[in-house]
Amino acid sequence: MILTLFMALIVQLSFAQQKTISGTVSDENGLPLIGATIVIAGTSSGTTTDFDGNYKINASLGDLLNFSYVGYSDQNITVGVSNTIDTTLKPDNSLDEVVVTALGIKRDKRALGYATQKVDGESVSKIKSSNFVNSLSGKVAGLDIKSSGTLGGSTNVVIRGSSSIAGNNQALFVVDGIPIDNGNSNTKDQKTGIGGYDYGNAASDINPDDIKSINVLKGAAASALYGSRASNGVIMITTKKGVKRKGLGVTINSSTTFGTVDKETLPVYQKKYGAGYGPYYQDVIGIDINDDPIYWEDQPNSNPSIDNYFTNADLNGDGNYTNLFTPFTEDASYGAAFDPNLLVNQWNSIYPQLAGYQQATPWSAGANNPNYVWKTASTAINSVSIDGGTEKSTYRLGFTNMLQEGGLPNSSIKRNTLSFSGSHDLTEKLTASATTTYTKTNGQGRYGTGYDSNNVMQQFRQWWQINVDVREQQQAYLATGENITWNTKSATNLNPIYSDNPYWTFYENYETDQRNRYFGNVALDYEINDWLSVLGRFTYDTYSGLQEERTNVGSSNVSKYSRYNNNVAEYNYDLIFSFNKDLTEKLDLNGNIGTNLRRNDNSNILASTNGGLNIAGLYSLSNTFTPIEAPVEYEAVQMIDGIYARVGLGYNDFAFVEGTYRVDRNSSLPKSDNTYDYWSVAGSLIFSKLLETDLLSFGKVRANYGIVSNGTVPYNVFNTYGIGTPFGNTAVASNQNSLNNLELKPEEQKNWEIGLEMQFLKRRIGFDITYYDALNIDQITAVPVSNSTGYETVLLNAGTISNKGLEIQFNCTPLKTENFKWEANLNWAKNTSLVESLADGIDNLELGSFQGGVSINAAPGQPYGTIRGTDHVYHANGQPIVNQTGSSSRIGTYVVTEKNNEVIGDINPDWTAGLSNSFTYKNFNLNFLIDMQKGGDVFSLDTWYGYGTGLYNFSAGNNELGNPIRNVVTGTPGNYGVDSGGVILSGVAPDGTTNQVRANTNTYANPWGWARAANKQHVYDAGFIKLREASLTYNFDSKILDKVPFTDASLSIIGRNLWIIDKSVPYADPEAGLSSGNVQGYQSGSYPSMREIGANFKLQF
Amino acid sequence: MKKTILTTLLIIVLASCQSDDQYENLNRDPKNPTQVAAEFTYNSAVKSLFDQMTSTNVNRNIFRLLGQHWTETTYTDEANYDFTERNIPENHWSELYRDVLLDLKTTKETVASDLELTDSEKSARIAQAEVLMIYTWQQLVDTFGNIPYTEALNEGILLPIYDDDTVIYSDLIDRINAVIPNISGDGFSTADKIYEGNAAAWSKFANSLKLRLGIRLTDVNPTLAQSTISTAVTAGVFTSNADNALLIYEGSTPNTNPVWVDLVQSNRSDFIAANTLVDVMNTLNDPRRTVYFDQNLGAGIYSGGPYGANNSFSNYTHIGEVMHLATTPGVLLDYAEVSFYLVEAAERSIVGTPANAEMHYNKAITASFDSWGVAGITGYLSNNNVAYTTAAGDWKQKSGTQMWLAMYNRGFEAWTAWRKYDAPALNLAAVSELPVPTRYTYPVNEQNLNQVNYDAASSVIGGDNQTTKLFWDVN
């Protein structure tokens, strides 16, 4: 380079009559590139840019200028009439990358001793998801993304497995140096499946259209400078900035997708049997002389084969109870077989408001099953940005509007994002910059979750009558505005008993929410001299939210209005000195010394009406039936202050070594132990320097060791009392359920990692492989203890959990011609988690216990997240044992363990992978991503109950004798009747011989549902193969664009979640869950996946 | 310029470095106190105890089902004795240890360290808390058998051993003997929602509780039973319904009777009268049916749902109106219960002679009628199937059946009367075909969190099963 410069100077002297071209060379973020080379093609004449990226060169009209910079693609520009040529170089992904590491420090990727993985902004903005986090799925090895599946719901983001037993395992998001809160404000009830709404994770406020690039820091060494909070890995996001250029750059992006429900993830209903749990409905028609009831079903005129399935009435007074009524309270479908000749008074006959009042109708399956409620969803995202710059300034202003209509009625999310970034050179050495983003999100009608009647999927998947026509329910609600439910207390008491009319739920019992968020930074950057600079920066991220929930008068739940206001704020004050000095020609010393002061402020208040509402439809706290209880308040401030240093040494672009050290003081720990330090070392060798061949284009080994320590959250040290609602005019206070700890110590993660990266044949093919081993010790854990201690949990430094794993990235360009290019990338990751120990004597830590009697656990010697519940009892030959005797509903069913703490599943996948392929032909680009998960278990409460209530198609088929399985078992073992129903379960008798005993499957107490099944029967392999994304893009030709005032235009047809190629979880999306957080592996009232197809149009001028 | 910036930034750094105390203060919760008056925790414990013993929430308390007074309609798991689906034993155990015993222990400690109280005030207040602790410990033993006792409620012991139930009973009797003399007029008064500080009433309550402790032991430790019962009765037990240990609930949540929450507020129809209870009462033509039950099937028609079966709500007798009132009191111990114990004490000639048994029997039933406000006691007592001299069976059967009938608002005691006196005959649960459990199985989380001690206790009591009998339940 020095030689080039020297030559250029000579050349410059000899051609004096040329004109002077000047300009700026900047990177993709608008930052000046220092030392970029500009050469006049075909000559040796050239120059380099100065510290501000500026250059001057003498050239003639028509000369071709070649701009180049290490790690960036070359650019050629012909000299025209203008004397100014500004340009932006784009990083060349096929060559060595410049990556943004901790604290926003830009590094040459070659020099890093740890694994990072970059995702460019295009791959999350082209095929947009309303929550950009979802777009990362399958794109980064070791990054586990799991969306809960509801409209605007939260997404679980875990890097390299769960490292904290009971604490936060979510990755940290950092946008332009601004740490972004990614919490969710979901209640504990919501997270454990009891009920509530999923309000989404806060990182979804990040606007994909503003993202330039994403870099994922995975291990402790990579993130150590961030301090304790980065122990779960960091997702570094760099946003788009203005560029020093002439004129105004305008980018318009418009994307619209339509979502239809994927039928593979919905129930398939049977069509043969209607309401009931079995033949249980006997009618008392009088009382005998002994005061004993007289049952109609015992009378000579009764037909028990029908009458026992219905409730009867004698409407005409002839003494015959021949007017049949649906058993309205019974939310199951083990009732009478459908028979169009049988007339029954169904739900539509008992409401005087309805036209069908007092009219019996044919007994048949509802014309529209619950899948009818799903309509086409849509998401429209429109954005416009303008950017530009002058000699001294750059700016970018962006606006994005998102409007998402959910697949269920009355559900939508709206989001507007306004962002501005700018920088200005105050002096030659001092640059001021600022960014700010304002996001306003409004949600309405987010889907109810968990085991709650406001989650319609609870009734659709678990408790339903097949005879009900959902469309008719819809019409009944729309015509009356009333809760006309199929599930009344009786034929005369029309109050809902368990389930509401689903449309009543949609339109009356909905939530609304809003969030106003501001985040940004203000920074001053000063170049002290050519090797030392200092950055002072203030970053902020604040939001305030309001969540309002409603249940109208007339619902099965107590009517209610509640409001939850929360305020979350984080402020960071950074002062960072950066140095970079060539000690000798070959030895380069660089590093940082800095300090970070962090403040987190949280406050929230939850208030709700008590005992119901007085006035229907009025949602106000004053509209409370009985005096309201005091709202629940929370207020906390946390301070974490750190000092840190990083020193790196590079030798001849061949060997690199660096170390970091940081000390933190954290207010969440006891003052005796609130200061802690930790460190990391990393090194790498670019061995290809030694053996450069045509075959091996690049080769590097790297290794690192890092420790990160961590504090906890406020109020874990001192014990307090919880104050309750006064009773009898005397205050009430009780010990908290968790015992705090005055002697907490910081917890620690120790992590080592080695990696090998090799590229062959001019980078046509290559791989990057990483092995890591992370050990988390002294985990601050609320350890569940015997409640006879008086506490449920005790906070301890207890528990060691390890995560070991392998990550492989493989890249390949199988075909590359002038017009055609095929690129393939594979990300593959395997993480093995192991809970090595808990507190002394504690054998298991329950992360969550759920309806259905199952729990998610961490137990020593087992992976983090085992599912426990009841299992079959197995014979020595491994086969489940089947009851050979017992009552009619017990015989032939599996023997189930008495205890429900058998390990029956493991939520951790065996491995995950993402395979992307990109085909480019001339201006067309076809891209698709296949996302895979192998293994990992999930328990389904939906089938646990739904198989008992007989909703699903398999429960109404025929057995091997050709008879309906719902027929009663006739005959005896070995001698069953030719008309016998029931099934023979695969398994063995207690003596180990093959089971030959039939089980009755004619009532809810069948072998599949909760009454007889083991929890184990409802644990499914959550593995899947999905066609996650696909896009076909046409980039308008520059020849066309030359004739219009546009510089760049493209049109894409895009699709997300297009096809579930393979899965094992029946009738549901294996990825569906409750919420982000540590409790995974449980489905309850889960929502189907939406197949989204649409178009994206992008225009730049 | 350079200096200015550096100085500025340095000032920011220095200004934000704060003292350790300032850091620590951020860890002190401004919304929850670290110290509260003893009255607060006492009031909380009392309410938690009444709530737990009164509730009919299927997650917390299913004693009304175990006693077969009620049964379920559509969802019948609990009536069929499925304890694990909803972790019912765990919830009962936790409520009593965590929300009752620990808060009572704290109450005692706060009182003991209160410099503003006289010694007499301290001992009187501690005595009230102690009596309620003894009551609660007995509930736990009578539910589970061996339980953590000496090592329970201790922050330093996370794996408490289980103590032998027989030994715990002896200790409870020692404790009640020790505390009775300390009951005086200086106890909690306005914070005492049971007796408003009335020491005489507390004394009767303590002695009645002592009587109950003694009665439980009559089959297994006659000597201790004898001394305990006789000294209790001599000192003075309940003599009328006015002495009953009641808690008057309020009209709005969370201070309503918990049964109201489940029967009325929930808007559900989960419970109906069980045929077990209705059949017995129909046979006896029991006038209490008008209060216990609703006449939804027609005037004078009562038909209980077959116990444990899937029952259509509209086809069977509903629960009576009194259980649907938010303000219906909860009861810990009442005069009827005490009188039934005196029947046994008389029959065993511990207090009085068998000749006195009929008097106590009649008083017990009368007390029950009076407490429900039901007329017709004279006719009922002269019913051949009721009258002590003519009713079928031995004294255990007669008194046991009538006690079971009287404990309608006290599911736990109804179930316990059956365990103690083996009367009346209860039904097998229709779907599971299981017999009535004689104890709760231990909480599932004890298996996970305290396994070694759990295993030891399970084996000592003869297996952690529903049908393992408690030490005093030898018949």
Side-chain angles (χ1 to χ4, degrees), chain A residues 1009-1079:
Chain A
W1010 79 96
R1012 292 286 175 270
N1015 291 136
K1016 169 87 175 174
Q1017 282 167 258
H1018 297 270
V1019 172
Y1020 302 99
D1021 183 334
F1024 59 82
I1025 304 174
K1026 289 185 175 187
L1027 177 57
R1028 178 76 72 188
E1029 290 182 353
S1031 67
L1032 179 64
T1033 303
Y1034 177 72
N1035 289 299
F1036 287 88
D1037 204 275
S1038 55
K1039 286 170 196 159
I1040 300 171
L1041 292 175
D1042 282 349
K1043 294 168 190 156
V1044 290
F1046 303 124
T1047 53
D1048 195 7
S1050 67
L1051 178 65
S1052 307
I1053 296 165
I1054 56 178
R1056 266 187 68 76
N1057 294 323
L1058 292 169
W1059 180 26
I1060 300 178
I1061 301 164
D1062 191 32
K1063 71 177 173 87
S1064 305
V1065 180
Y1067 312 114
D1069 183 349
E1071 290 186 288
L1074 294 168
S1075 166
S1076 64
N1078 292 347
V1079 173

Side-chain angles (χ1 to χ4, degrees), chain A residues 41-54:
Chain A
T43 73
S44 52
S45 165
T47 183
T48 57
T49 54
D50 65 12
F51 218 93
D52 295 320
N54 297 326

Side-chain angles (χ1 to χ4, degrees), chain A residues 1 34 63 156 188 251 282 347 418 499 725 890 894 905 962:
Chain A
M1 192 159 75
I34 303 152
D63 279 353
N156 200 45
K188 190 188 173 203
T251 304
Q282 302 194 317
W347 66 267
L418 197 56
S499 290
T725 302
R890 174 89 50 195
Y894 288 118

